[in-house]
Amino acid sequence: MDWLRLLRLALLPSIVWDLVAGVLLVGATFDRSWLMALVAGILIYHSGMVGNDIADRGLDRIHRPRRPLASGAIGITEAWLVLVLMLSGAWLLAAQSSSAVADLVKLLTVLVLVYNFGGNPIRRSLGPALLAAARAASLCLGALAVISPDQIMSSPLLWAAVSYAMYFLFVSRLATNEESGASGMRI
């Protein structure tokens, strides 16, 4: 149960939907390459959850002491090992896909690592934009597995990804203000 909480497995449908929606938006069919992109996306997404708990372990000891790393239910070494294995698995799957998928997997990995380990100044200033970019990239990942980058540029997916990123940016800013409180023009 602790590993499921660390991975935040309950959020799995959201990343699956991103990749499914990307394919549906371009009118493509699901095939083996899409399945490999899906698994790579899932591995990156859930490794990001592990990385988030690793990075926030000190804060979680104070504010969320029941989180698996903060409580000691899962060791930090095991968490790092799982994070590295998941990212390695995603890269191995991407290496067997198109170069566009491999490049996007690398970009998603960088976004996840910068968000989680870039420190508080990065997370506070760029965090919502990094998360929005990652969600938009995940929307494109499924489609890139089945069509070319040139086809994406002329499909509805491009504007859907931009809109999705803006929506996610708005929602993440709203959630931040709700958590910390906001008044007047700031809200």
Side-chain angles (χ1 to χ4, degrees), residues 3-167:
W3 280 102
L4 299 179
R5 287 182 48 231
L6 179 63
L7 294 169
R8 294 181 181 99
L9 202 58
L11 299 176
L12 175 66
S14 73
I15 193 65
V16 170
W17 175 245
D18 283 357
L19 276 85
V20 168
V23 173
L24 294 175
L25 282 167
V26 298
T29 58
F30 300 91
D31 61 14
R32 182 178 179 274
S33 59
W34 176 82
L35 184 60
M36 288 173 43
L38 174 67
V39 174
I42 289 169
L43 289 170
I44 293 169
Y45 183 76
H46 288 294
S47 72
M49 299 301 170
V50 173
N52 186 270
D53 273 24
I54 290 170
D56 290 348
R57 193 175 57 163
L59 287 173
D60 286 348
R61 283 188 185 128
I62 298 165
H63 300 289
R64 294 181 293 193
R66 292 187 177 154
R67 292 292 306 152
L69 292 180
S71 69
I74 296 174
I76 189 74
T77 303
E78 290 112 342
W80 272 109
L81 181 62
V82 165
L83 178 122
V84 168
L85 288 173
M86 291 176 84
L87 289 178
S88 298
W91 280 48
L92 286 171
L93 287 170
Q96 298 174 36
S97 301
S98 70
S99 63
V101 168
D103 289 344
L104 197 50
V105 164
K106 291 172 188 170
L107 174 65
L108 279 165
T109 301
V110 168
L111 291 171
V112 164
L113 293 174
V114 168
Y115 177 80
N116 284 326
F117 302 110
N120 282 335
I122 295 287
R123 200 182 282 188
R124 271 189 297 236
S125 61
L126 294 178
L130 292 169
L131 292 174
R135 291 312 292 247
S138 69
L139 188 67
C140 294
L141 183 60
L144 271 177
V146 292
I147 66 172
S148 72
D150 290 341
Q151 290 171 303
I152 283 182
M153 297 308 281
S154 62
S155 78
L157 180 62
L158 180 62
W159 291 110
V162 170
S163 299
Y164 188 46
M166 296 307 292
Y167 166 75

